[in-house]
């Protein structure tokens, strides 16, 4: 009786025989089958083979016959924990069905595939629990490998091994020793704690996906439904999940987590925000840049998260549960955040990074996409080189038919399963570039006329953007493009939008910064910004096509914008060479936080000017986390690598600002939401808007003008007078006459808090207004240098 051996055994039989000889024999032998992967021991606890087959390969040469025989073991000899059958080619990923789990994964160029099952306890011991080899004759349909299993999947993880050519010059990186993440895995497990190094100081420990189980409870959404706010009504708040509550002053039970954010959602409700834009929350490896930082005495990490490992899994180490329950609890914590935000009337948009992945260039790690099918998922040259339109080593092959369907499947999942309200696409212009092996048949399923496009050519009608824009599930969610990439493609105003997309308006940011700090030649451009940038979007969009922002995660904070002329990035450990050099900032006379009282007062005034301009502009305003209290990063405009106070929201500082800048921000947002005229669905016309200069109806658009004023008819507030004086000189302006009415001050950024915004219940309000009575009686108003005002048209009780 043959002795069972753990694995397979193969042999070659050589003997003399006529060339026509046929061999018929059976052996109970096992092929010694070595399976290994990064950090995993060469141990297979159980081997599963679901058919009893003899494979014979006979090669005849003269009188010699070489026969290779592989005999699959019978189940009675090695019992598997699973019932294994052929499976189904769709849907991709690991899917519950028919009392079991179906596994399906696409790979065009792989020659072999093995499903690796790993219990959570074995995963922590670096041991594969069970291998399921896939037979290409049985477990493959087209280019999709698949298998169906029944059994106990509690606390079970999975990955794949693929065999094939390792030929980087041809774009192939197959290595059957590596265990790869399924691109469709719904939760990714590696390390359990943010910033904790893996065993043996490994910054890239093995990763695996969560296998769904029939024991999983369906999440209770409590009837949650999308809020579906009109885009014109949004007030967006760009937030980093960990940074929002990690500071000790947050006093949250689970700082730096999804639950921590939930504990502080009422702050956003108080501020008036109705939409959060989460910086990347897809699974990424924060230890990607891990190295000692001698400047601060801590370690550099990938804090921002713009380097995705998996697009279906939320960042598990942003959850309080970590890897418990194979990541299911982490997934549910993300859902809890969405549900609680919706309860407070706040939508949630995700910042997604489909332009590149964490696998980098040819020297980067093989984690998932590269090992599954590198030449499909990445934009590669004919000799295997990686195109680098992202500036991060590789470029996702977005307009390849398989990749674009993957992206749409991912977006659909986050909308239907996770209830998110939309997406902001990082370096979205990459999604308009032609894919590798571009041709009309490859992308459009038909030959195209004059098809001479090369890899990476910007497309007028990109298939991926078309697919997203017209998808029946995604139609209606918020879609925001960062309409440029790292290779110089700049599409602000020209991004193909299909009537549904908005764009981060970088031109708005640059123009507003220039005008508010008093640069000549920007009065006319600033007026365009106030109207929703019709010079960019009229004819191709609406005011809400423009996402207006002055500050964002990359660049100066609002406080630093008025405190530093130059970047101060030495803490990044790159000798101040990183980060943007052209910030259009002004320190108001002295560099740094230590300045005279007069300079500090001017800085606060300028912060109010920036915030007011943002809130009275047509389009969608976006605020960066911490700007509402004046967060500083010490002049560092590229804090991607800091898991410390530079990126942490400081709640104690917010409390100090309650009666000062935070109050101003809250009241200005509330005023915007009350006004019908400050969030229009179309560009304002002369029926509603009139431009003025220092005198009514006489705007000054000259190169030296630093004054812009206008009136807006408003169905709620009657009429608004809004003016900006960015000159270093004060000015007394003449107001337009409105018989039977008088202008009453509401906002004046030159006044100290709380008189910068005159609420009806403000103590001493009448005294303040009385101080200006002689000016207002004469239909005039004095404006200090670097100040802005809002006046309301009210009935004249003395008339």
């Amino acid at each position: 009786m043959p002795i069972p051996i753990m694995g397979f055994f193969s042999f070659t039989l050589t003997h003399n025989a006529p060339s026509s000889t046929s061999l018929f024999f059976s052996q109970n032998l096992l092929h010694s089958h070595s399976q290994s992967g990064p950090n995993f021991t060469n141990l297979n606890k159980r081997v599963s083979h679901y058919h009893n087959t003899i494979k014979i390969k006979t090669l005849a040469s003269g009188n010699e016959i070489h026969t290779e025989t592989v005999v699959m073991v019978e189940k009675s000899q090695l019992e598997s924990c699973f019932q294994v059958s052929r499976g189904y080619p769709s849907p991709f990923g690991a899917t519950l069905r028919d009392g079991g789990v179906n596994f399906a994964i696409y790979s065009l160029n792989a020659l072999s595939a093995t499903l690796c099952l790993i219990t959570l306890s074995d995963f922590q011991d670096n041991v594969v629990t069970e291998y399921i080899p896939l037979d290409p004759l049985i477990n493959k349909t087209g280019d999709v490998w698949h298998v169906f299993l029944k059994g106990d999947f509690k606390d079970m993880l999975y990955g794949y091994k693929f065999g094939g050519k390792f030929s980087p010059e041809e774009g192939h990186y197959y290595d059957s020793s590596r265990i790869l993440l399924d691109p469709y895995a719904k939760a990714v497990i590696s390390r359990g704690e943010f910033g904790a190094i893996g065993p043996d100081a490994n910054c890239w420990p093995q990763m695996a996906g969560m296998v769904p189980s029939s024991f999983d409870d369906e999440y209770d959404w409590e009837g949650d439904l999308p809020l579906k706010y009109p885009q014109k009504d949004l007030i967006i708040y760009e937030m980093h999940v960990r940074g929002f509550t990690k500071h000790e002053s947050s006093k949250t039970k689970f700082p730096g987590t999804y639950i921590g954010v939930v504990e502080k959602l009422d702050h956003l409700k108080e501020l008036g925000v109705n939409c959060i834009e989460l910086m990347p929350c897809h699974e990424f490896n924060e230890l990607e840049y891990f190295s000692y930082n001698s400047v601060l005495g801590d370690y550099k990490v990938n804090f921002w998260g713009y380097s995705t490992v998996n697009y279906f899994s939320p960042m598990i180490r942003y959850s309080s549960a970590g890897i418990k329950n194979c990541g299911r609890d982490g997934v549910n914590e993300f859902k809890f955040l969405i549900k609680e935000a919706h309860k407070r009337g706040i939508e949630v948009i995700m910042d997604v990074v489909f332009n590149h992945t964490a696998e980098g260039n040819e020297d980067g790690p093989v984690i998932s996409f590269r090992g599954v099918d590198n030449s499909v998922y990445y934009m590669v040259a004919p000799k295997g080189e990686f195109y680098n339109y992202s500036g991060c080593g590789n470029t996702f092959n977005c307009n390849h038919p398989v990749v674009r369907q993957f992206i749409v499947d991912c977006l659909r999942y986050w909308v239907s399963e996770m209830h998110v309200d939309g997406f902001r696409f990082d370096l979205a212009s990459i999604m308009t570039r032609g894919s590798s092996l571009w041709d009309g048949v490859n992308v459009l399923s038909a030959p195209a006329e004059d098809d001479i496009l090369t890899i990476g050519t910007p497309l007028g009608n990109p298939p991926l953007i078309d697919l997203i824009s017209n998808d029946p599930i995604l139609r209606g969610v918020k879609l925001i493009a960062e309409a440029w990439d790292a290779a110089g493609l700049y599409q602000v105003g020209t991004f193909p939008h299909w009537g549904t997309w908005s764009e981060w308006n970088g031109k708005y940011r640059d123009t507003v910064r220039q005008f508010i700090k008093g640069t000549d030649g920007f009065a006319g451009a600033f007026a365009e910004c106030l109207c929703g940038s019709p010079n960019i979007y009229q004819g191709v969009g609406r005011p809400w096509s423009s996402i207006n922002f002055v500050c964002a995660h990359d660049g100066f904070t609002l406080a630093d914008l008025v405190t530093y002329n130059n970047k101060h990035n030495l803490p990044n450990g790159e000798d101040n060479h990183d980060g943007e050099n052209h910030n259009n900032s002004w320190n108001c006379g002295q560099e740094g936080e230590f300045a005279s009282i007069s300079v500090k007062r001017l800085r606060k005034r300028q912060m109010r000017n920036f915030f007011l301009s943002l809130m009275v502009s047509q389009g969608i305003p976006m605020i960066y986390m911490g700007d509402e209290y004046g967060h500083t990063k010490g002049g560092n405009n590229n804090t991607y690598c800091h898991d410390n106070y530079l990126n942490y929201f400081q709640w104690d500082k917010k409390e100090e600002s309650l009666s000062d800048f935070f109050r101003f921000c809250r009241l200005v947002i509330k005023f915007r939401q009350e006004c019908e005229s400050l969030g229009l669905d179309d560009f304002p016309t002369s029926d509603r808007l009139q431009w003025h200069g220092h005198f009514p109806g006489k705007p000054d658009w000259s190169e030296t003008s630093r004054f812009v004023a206008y009136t807006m008819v408003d169905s709620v507030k009657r009429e608004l007078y809004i003016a900006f004086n960015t000159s270093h000189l004060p000015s007394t302006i003449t107001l337009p006459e409105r018989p039977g009415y008088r202008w009453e001050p509401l906002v004046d950024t030159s006044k100290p808090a709380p008189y910068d915004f005159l609420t009806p219940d403000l103590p001493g309000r009448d005294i303040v207004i009385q101080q200006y009575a002689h000016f207002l009686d004469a239909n005039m108003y004095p404006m200090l240098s670097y100040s802005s005002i809002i006046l309301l048209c009210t009935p004249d009780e003395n008339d």
Side-chain angles (χ1 to χ4, degrees):
M1 178 176 180
I3 301 174
I5 303 172
M6 189 64 70
F8 300 117
F9 177 77
S10 67
F11 64 92
T12 301
L13 178 66
T14 304
H15 57 95
N16 293 326
S19 59
S20 60
T21 300
S22 297
L23 298 178
F24 298 92
F25 56 94
S26 176
Q27 303 282 344
N28 282 322
L29 297 173
L30 298 171
H31 178 191
S32 177
H33 189 64
S34 173
Q35 298 276 10
S36 62
N39 304 307
F40 269 63
T41 58
N42 195 17
L43 170 65
N44 186 359
K45 283 189 169 183
R46 296 184 292 272
V47 180
S48 171
H49 302 294
Y50 49 91
H51 48 90
N52 186 12
T53 308
I54 301 173
K55 294 184 178 179
I56 302 176
K57 181 178 180 181
T58 304
L59 301 174
S61 177
N63 291 328
E64 285 194 330
I65 298 177
H66 302 272
T67 305
E68 297 182 2
T69 305
V70 177
V71 182
M72 303 297 182
V73 67
E74 296 181 10
K75 282 182 175 288
S76 59
Q77 292 173 291
L78 280 177
E79 190 65 33
S80 169
C81 288
F82 299 97
Q83 298 178 34
V84 187
S85 58
R86 181 175 184 270
Y88 308 89
S90 66
F92 291 165
T95 310
L96 283 173
R97 63 172 295 170
D98 303 331
V101 177
N102 189 73
F103 297 85
I105 186 169
Y106 167 90
S107 182
L108 170 66
N109 294 295
L111 301 179
S112 65
T114 301
L115 174 66
C116 306
L117 298 175
I118 315 160
T119 63
L120 186 57
S121 58
D122 281 347
F123 180 79
Q124 293 168 337
D125 292 335
N126 289 338
V127 173
V128 172
T129 308
E130 184 158 353
Y131 293 105
I132 311 290
L134 306 187
D135 188 326
L137 298 178
I138 298 173
N139 302 108
K140 191 178 182 186
T141 302
D143 299 319
V144 181
W145 299 81
H146 49 80
V147 64
F148 180 76
L149 305 181
K150 284 188 176 183
D152 181 7
F153 291 101
K154 185 173 176 57
D155 291 335
M156 188 68 72
L157 307 172
Y158 78 107
Y160 289 95
K161 291 189 174 187
F162 284 101
K165 295 178 68 175
F166 183 85
S167 179
E169 65 276 8
E170 297 179 81
H172 302 310
Y173 286 79
Y174 289 107
D175 182 350
S176 61
S177 71
R178 295 182 180 275
I179 297 177
L180 305 170
L181 271 177
D182 180 0
Y184 279 79
K186 303 306 186 294
V188 173
I189 301 302
S190 58
R191 297 168 291 103
E193 182 181 348
F194 190 97
I197 304 175
D200 302 322
N202 186 1
C203 292
W204 287 97
Q206 181 64 52
M207 303 178 186
M210 174 266 293
V211 179
S213 169
S214 58
F215 296 103
D216 297 348
D217 295 326
E218 185 174 351
Y219 184 75
D220 182 8
W221 280 103
E222 302 179 27
D224 177 70
L225 293 172
L227 297 173
K228 294 185 177 180
Y229 290 138
Q231 285 154 295
K232 68 182 183 66
D233 294 336
L234 295 181
I235 309 287
I236 298 177
Y237 186 91
E238 189 187 25
M239 174 197 290
H240 188 282
V241 167
R242 182 171 173 85
F244 193 53
T245 63
K246 185 58 180 174
H247 195 268
E248 59 183 12
S249 64
S250 75
K251 298 179 181 178
T252 54
K253 185 176 181 181
F254 298 103
T257 66
Y258 301 124
I259 292 180
V261 173
V262 171
E263 292 185 60
K264 292 295 187 178
L265 283 175
D266 289 339
H267 162 73
L268 301 183
K269 185 72 173 176
E270 179 187 11
L271 181 60
V273 166
N274 61 10
C275 181
I276 301 170
E277 183 179 297
L278 293 176
M279 289 175 66
C281 287
H282 287 149
E283 184 68 24
F284 66 92
N285 180 13
E286 73 277 12
L287 298 182
E288 182 176 358
Y289 313 135
F290 190 76
S291 61
Y292 182 69
N293 186 347
S294 59
V295 179
L296 294 182
D298 59 3
Y299 289 86
K300 295 172 62 175
V301 299
N302 177 8
F303 187 77
W304 285 350
Y306 288 90
S307 193
T308 308
V309 166
N310 178 276
Y311 292 98
F312 280 85
S313 172
M315 177 61 169
I316 296 300
R317 289 176 300 288
Y318 281 171
S319 71
S320 64
I323 63 174
K324 294 177 183 176
N325 200 16
C326 292
R328 293 176 180 84
D329 293 348
V331 172
N332 287 341
E333 284 188 23
F334 184 91
K335 292 179 178 180
F336 180 64
L337 167 57
I338 304 299
K339 181 173 67 175
E340 292 301 309
H342 286 174
K343 285 181 180 179
R344 291 164 175 80
I346 301 173
E347 293 189 334
V348 181
I349 290 173
M350 293 185 68
D351 194 339
V352 292
V353 190
F354 287 110
N355 58 79
H356 76 284
T357 77
E359 291 183 305
N361 59 18
E362 61 275 4
D363 298 321
V366 179
I367 307 166
S368 179
F369 303 97
R370 177 164 296 155
V372 173
D373 214 319
N374 181 78
S375 63
V376 168
Y377 283 106
Y378 294 115
M379 207 178 285
V380 293
K383 293 186 178 181
E385 303 96 333
F386 288 90
Y387 283 86
N388 188 20
Y389 295 115
S390 68
C392 297
N394 64 53
T395 305
F396 216 48
N397 203 19
C398 295
N399 281 298
H400 186 285
V402 170
V403 181
R404 71 174 183 256
Q405 187 60 55
F406 166 81
I407 293 173
V408 170
D409 288 346
C410 177
L411 299 178
R412 284 180 163 189
Y413 173 80
W414 285 96
V415 169
S416 59
E417 182 63 26
M418 308 295 270
H419 288 206
V420 302
D421 300 285
F423 307 93
R424 179 264 187 187
F425 295 81
D426 183 66
L427 298 184
S429 290
I430 282 176
M431 301 195 303
T432 72
R433 291 185 180 272
S435 63
S436 296
L437 307 178
W438 168 271
D439 59 72
V441 175
N442 173 266
V443 176
L444 303 175
S445 301
E449 294 183 10
D450 301 323
D451 193 0
I452 57 174
L453 296 170
T454 58
I455 298 172
T457 298
L459 308 175
N461 295 295
L464 172 60
I465 307 301
D466 186 354
L467 196 61
I468 293 172
S469 304
N470 296 293
D471 184 81
I473 294 175
L474 301 179
R475 190 76 172 175
V477 304
K478 276 69 178 181
L479 301 172
I480 301 172
E482 184 183 37
W484 55 82
D485 65 20
L489 181 57
Y490 193 80
Q491 296 177 308
V492 172
T494 61
F495 187 87
H497 59 84
W498 271 269
T500 64
W501 290 72
S502 300
E503 301 171 2
W504 266 30
N505 190 347
K507 294 179 180 179
Y508 176 97
R509 172 199 60 207
D510 298 340
T511 299
V512 171
R513 287 187 179 190
Q514 291 277 24
F515 180 76
I516 294 297
K517 76 185 182 79
T519 306
D520 285 342
F522 283 90
F526 179 70
E528 296 275 10
C529 290
L530 293 172
C531 294
S533 301
N535 57 318
I536 299 175
Y537 297 109
Q538 195 162 38
V540 297
R542 301 284 182 88
W544 49 258
S545 298
S546 176
I547 304 295
N548 302 328
F549 65 102
V550 175
C551 300
H553 66 274
D554 51 350
F556 281 151
T557 66
L558 185 56
D560 289 349
L561 187 65
V562 299
T563 305
Y564 298 93
N565 283 352
N566 305 303
K567 66 182 182 182
H568 295 262
N569 293 3
L570 286 176
N572 300 353
E574 300 179 40
D575 296 326
N576 210 40
H577 295 311
D578 64 304
E580 178 59 56
N581 291 316
H582 306 287
N583 296 285
N584 296 321
S585 60
W586 178 45
N587 63 18
C588 298
Q590 291 178 270
E591 186 78 356
E593 293 186 53
F594 298 101
S596 66
I597 293 176
S598 61
V599 166
K600 288 184 176 181
R601 285 175 179 168
L602 178 56
R603 288 172 178 175
K604 284 193 173 183
R605 192 187 310 172
Q606 286 291 74
M607 288 173 64
R608 290 191 285 265
N609 290 333
F610 277 119
F611 199 86
L612 185 67
S613 65
L614 185 63
M615 288 302 152
V616 299
S617 297
Q618 302 296 325
I620 303 173
M622 185 186 78
I623 310 162
Y624 176 55
M625 179 185 86
D627 278 349
E628 69 269 34
Y629 70 82
H631 180 76
T632 177
K633 297 182 180 181
N636 193 327
N637 69 359
N638 191 32
T639 58
Y640 71 97
C641 58
H642 296 288
D643 183 22
N644 56 36
Y645 66 93
L646 290 175
N647 283 316
Y648 293 169
F649 189 106
Q650 297 179 30
W651 293 91
D652 50 351
K653 299 295 184 183
K654 180 256 177 175
E655 294 301 320
E656 294 174 8
S657 178
L658 270 178
S659 61
D660 189 358
F661 190 59
F662 177 79
R663 172 188 177 273
F664 180 83
C665 294
R666 174 177 61 82
L667 292 174
V668 172
I669 291 175
K670 183 173 182 289
F671 177 75
R672 176 188 172 90
Q673 293 171 331
E674 290 173 348
C675 292
E676 166 267 342
S677 63
L678 296 182
L680 299 176
D681 198 40
D682 212 338
F683 299 101
T685 65
S686 57
D687 294 335
R688 180 189 290 270
L689 182 149
Q690 288 185 324
W691 296 106
H692 307 288
H694 292 92
F695 297 94
K698 296 182 178 180
D700 181 2
W701 305 123
S702 68
E703 282 293 305
T704 58
S705 173
R706 299 184 184 182
F707 185 84
V708 171
Y710 63 105
T711 50
M712 283 283 286
V713 175
D714 187 274
S715 62
V716 177
K717 303 291 185 180
R718 187 175 285 107
E719 192 173 9
L720 316 175
Y721 181 92
I722 302 172
F724 294 86
N725 177 28
T726 63
S727 170
H728 63 286
L729 300 174
S731 178
T732 300
I733 60 175
T734 302
L735 304 172
E737 292 188 6
R738 297 293 184 261
Y741 297 89
R742 64 183 284 120
W743 294 103
E744 185 173 284
L746 177 70
V747 175
D748 188 336
T749 62
S750 70
K751 306 303 180 195
Y755 304 109
D756 48 5
F757 195 111
L758 299 178
T759 58
D761 59 347
L762 180 67
R765 176 180 181 275
D766 292 340
I767 297 175
V768 174
I769 293 180
Q770 189 62 34
Q771 291 174 343
Y772 285 89
H774 58 293
F775 283 103
L776 296 172
D777 289 344
N779 227 34
M780 303 176 76
Y781 192 89
M783 291 188 68
L784 293 186
S785 61
Y786 303 108
S787 69
S788 49
I789 61 171
I790 298 179
L791 309 180
L792 299 180
C793 187
T794 61
D796 189 350
E797 298 177 358
N798 299 321
D799 190 30

